[in-house]
Coordinates of all heavy atoms in Angstrom, one line a residue:
T288 N 16.0 -42.6 68.4 CA 16.9 -43.7 68.0 C 17.4 -43.5 66.5 O 18.6 -43.8 66.3 CB 16.2 -45.0 68.2 OG1 15.7 -45.0 69.6 CG2 17.1 -46.2 68.0
M289 N 16.5 -43.2 65.7 CA 16.9 -43.0 64.3 C 17.9 -42.0 64.2 O 19.0 -42.1 63.4 CB 15.7 -42.7 63.4 CG 14.8 -43.9 63.3 SD 13.2 -43.4 62.3 CE 13.9 -42.8 60.9
A290 N 17.8 -40.9 64.8 CA 18.7 -39.7 64.8 C 20.2 -40.2 65.3 O 21.1 -39.8 64.8 CB 18.2 -38.6 65.6
G291 N 20.0 -40.9 66.4 CA 21.4 -41.5 67.0 C 22.1 -42.4 66.1 O 23.3 -42.3 65.9
M292 N 21.4 -43.3 65.5 CA 22.0 -44.2 64.5 C 22.5 -43.5 63.3 O 23.6 -43.9 62.7 CB 21.2 -45.4 64.2 CG 20.7 -46.2 65.4 SD 19.6 -47.7 65.0 CE 20.8 -48.7 64.0
L293 N 21.7 -42.6 62.8 CA 22.2 -41.9 61.5 C 23.4 -40.9 61.8 O 24.1 -40.6 60.9 CB 21.1 -41.1 60.9 CG 19.9 -41.9 60.3 CD1 18.7 -41.0 59.9 CD2 20.5 -42.7 59.0
G294 N 23.4 -40.4 63.0 CA 24.4 -39.4 63.4 C 25.8 -40.0 63.7 O 26.7 -39.2 63.9
Q295 N 25.9 -41.3 63.6 CA 27.2 -42.0 64.0 C 28.3 -41.6 63.0 O 29.5 -41.5 63.4 CB 27.0 -43.4 64.0 CG 26.2 -43.9 65.2 CD 26.0 -45.5 65.2 OE1 26.4 -46.1 64.3 NE2 25.4 -45.9 66.2
D296 N 28.0 -41.3 61.8 CA 29.0 -41.0 60.8 C 29.0 -39.4 60.4 O 29.4 -38.9 59.5 CB 29.0 -41.8 59.5 CG 27.6 -41.5 58.7 OD1 26.7 -41.0 59.3 OD2 27.6 -41.9 57.5
M297 N 28.3 -38.6 61.3 CA 28.3 -37.2 61.1 C 29.3 -36.5 62.0 O 29.8 -37.0 63.0 CB 26.9 -36.7 61.5 CG 25.8 -37.3 60.6 SD 25.7 -36.8 58.9 CE 25.2 -35.1 59.1
T298 N 29.7 -35.3 61.5 CA 30.8 -34.6 62.3 C 30.5 -33.0 62.2 O 29.8 -32.6 61.2 CB 32.2 -34.9 61.8 OG1 33.2 -34.2 62.7 CG2 32.4 -34.4 60.4
E299 N 30.9 -32.3 63.1 CA 30.7 -30.8 63.1 C 32.1 -30.2 62.8 O 33.0 -30.5 63.5 CB 30.3 -30.3 64.5 CG 29.7 -28.9 64.5 CD 29.2 -28.6 65.9 OE1 28.2 -29.2 66.2 OE2 29.7 -27.6 66.6
V300 N 32.1 -29.3 61.8 CA 33.3 -28.7 61.4 C 33.1 -27.2 61.1 O 32.0 -26.7 61.0 CB 33.8 -29.3 60.0 CG1 34.1 -30.7 60.1 CG2 32.8 -29.1 58.9
T301 N 34.3 -26.5 61.2 CA 34.2 -25.0 60.9 C 35.0 -24.9 59.7 O 36.3 -25.2 59.6 CB 34.7 -24.2 62.0 OG1 34.0 -24.5 63.2 CG2 34.8 -22.7 61.8
L302 N 34.5 -24.1 58.7 CA 35.2 -23.9 57.4 C 35.3 -22.4 57.1 O 34.5 -21.6 57.6 CB 34.5 -24.5 56.3 CG 34.0 -26.0 56.4 CD1 33.0 -26.4 55.3 CD2 35.3 -26.9 56.5
C303 N 36.5 -22.1 56.5 CA 36.6 -20.7 56.0 C 36.7 -20.7 54.5 O 37.7 -21.2 53.9 CB 37.9 -20.2 56.6 SG 38.2 -18.4 56.1
I304 N 35.6 -20.3 53.9 CA 35.5 -20.4 52.4 C 35.8 -19.0 51.8 O 35.1 -18.0 52.2 CB 34.0 -20.8 52.1 CG1 33.8 -22.2 52.7 CG2 33.9 -20.9 50.6 CD1 32.4 -22.7 52.5
P305 N 36.8 -18.9 50.9 CA 37.0 -17.6 50.2 C 35.8 -17.1 49.6 O 35.0 -17.8 49.0 CB 38.2 -18.1 49.2 CG 38.8 -19.3 49.8 CD 37.6 -20.0 50.5
Y306 N 35.8 -15.8 49.4 CA 34.6 -15.1 48.8 C 34.6 -15.5 47.3 O 33.5 -15.5 46.7 CB 34.7 -13.7 48.9 CG 34.4 -13.1 50.3 CD1 35.4 -12.6 51.1 CD2 33.1 -13.2 50.9 CE1 35.1 -12.2 52.4 CE2 32.8 -12.8 52.1 CZ 33.8 -12.3 52.9 OH 33.6 -11.8 54.2
A307 N 35.7 -15.8 46.7 CA 35.7 -16.2 45.3 C 35.0 -17.6 45.1 O 34.7 -17.9 43.9 CB 37.2 -16.4 44.9
E308 N 34.8 -18.4 46.2 CA 34.1 -19.6 46.1 C 32.8 -19.7 46.8 O 32.5 -20.5 47.6 CB 35.0 -20.8 46.5 CG 36.4 -20.9 45.8 CD 37.2 -22.0 46.3 OE1 36.7 -23.1 46.5 OE2 38.4 -21.8 46.4
S309 N 32.1 -18.5 46.8 CA 30.9 -18.3 47.5 C 29.8 -19.3 47.2 O 28.9 -19.7 48.0 CB 30.3 -16.9 47.4 OG 30.1 -16.6 46.0
K310 N 30.0 -19.9 45.9 CA 28.9 -20.9 45.5 C 29.0 -22.2 46.5 O 28.0 -22.8 46.7 CB 29.2 -21.3 44.1 CG 28.7 -20.2 43.1 CD 28.9 -20.7 41.6 CE 28.5 -19.7 40.6 NZ 28.6 -20.1 39.3
L311 N 30.4 -22.5 46.9 CA 30.5 -23.6 47.8 C 29.7 -23.3 49.0 O 29.1 -24.2 49.6 CB 32.0 -23.8 48.1 CG 32.3 -24.9 49.1 CD1 31.8 -26.2 48.6 CD2 33.8 -25.0 49.2
A312 N 29.8 -22.1 49.6 CA 29.1 -21.8 50.9 C 27.6 -21.9 50.7 O 26.8 -22.5 51.6 CB 29.4 -20.4 51.3
A313 N 27.1 -21.5 49.5 CA 25.6 -21.7 49.2 C 25.2 -23.2 49.2 O 24.1 -23.6 49.6 CB 25.3 -21.0 47.9

C-alpha cells in the first residue's frame, strides 16, 4: 500500500545523455 501511494507521482522515462554530461548519468 505504501509503494502504491508513493508511486502515484512517479514516472518511467528513457533518456539519452551525451557523453560530455556523463556526471548526470552517474
